Amino acid sequence: MRTRAPFGCLALAAGIAASAISLPVPSTVAQDVRGEVSRAIDEIRKTNRSVTVQVDRNTGLPTSIKGLTPRPDPTIGLGASRGAGGEPSDEDVRRAVEAFMATSEIRSAFPQGNAQERKVVTQVRRDPDVKGQSIAFVTQRLNGIPVFGSSAKYVVNPSLAVTDITASY
């Protein structure tokens, strides 16, 4: 008769229990962010029926928002300067994206976790695939320092309305 087997099973069971205790559990902050983002997405869908949103399952933050109903900011459009091809200037695209980030219902889908955090338009270029559209690249900064891997791409139509967002915040 062997007496080791029960002790071996007991040791195995203790090891499994210990590893189960150390499994990561989502923090209440992460759960709060998910709830806040979910509510913001519900609000976005009230005015943008065809919008599709992809959410990162680890962070709970949106990674893609497509199909936004274009709503240009009239204050940006009135002062916009157009190039020879009728395209808005890079500065106008930058201002349109900054205004969109500051005032849109989309803003609450990307909650600000720190008062020193800013989202900064770092580059604007013409969309090579769609004439007249521009792409603005945005980087998240904390105390002026870029946050690694935290960026977004905003697609802006010729009337200076944001139509798509792809982000990793």
Side-chain angles (χ1 to χ4, degrees), residues 7 22 44 52 77 85 87 122 124 131 147-148 150 157-158 160 165:
F7 294 115
S22 66
I44 293 165
T52 59
E87 296 173 338
T122 56
V124 174
K131 183 175 173 36
V147 176
F148 178 76
S150 184
N157 72 11
L160 296 172
I165 304 167

Side-chain angles (χ1 to χ4, degrees), residues 97 127 133-136 153-157 161-166:
V97 170
D127 188 330
Q133 281 194 162
S134 299
I135 300 170
K153 179 178 81 169
Y154 286 70
V155 178
V156 181
N157 72 11
V162 173
T163 58
D164 291 324
I165 304 167
T166 305

Side-chain angles (χ1 to χ4, degrees), residues 89-105:
S89 70
D90 289 357
E91 185 57 31
D92 291 330
V93 171
R94 180 183 313 277
R95 286 188 7 239
V97 170
E98 288 170 349
F100 180 83
M101 289 187 301
T103 60
S104 166
E105 68 268 11

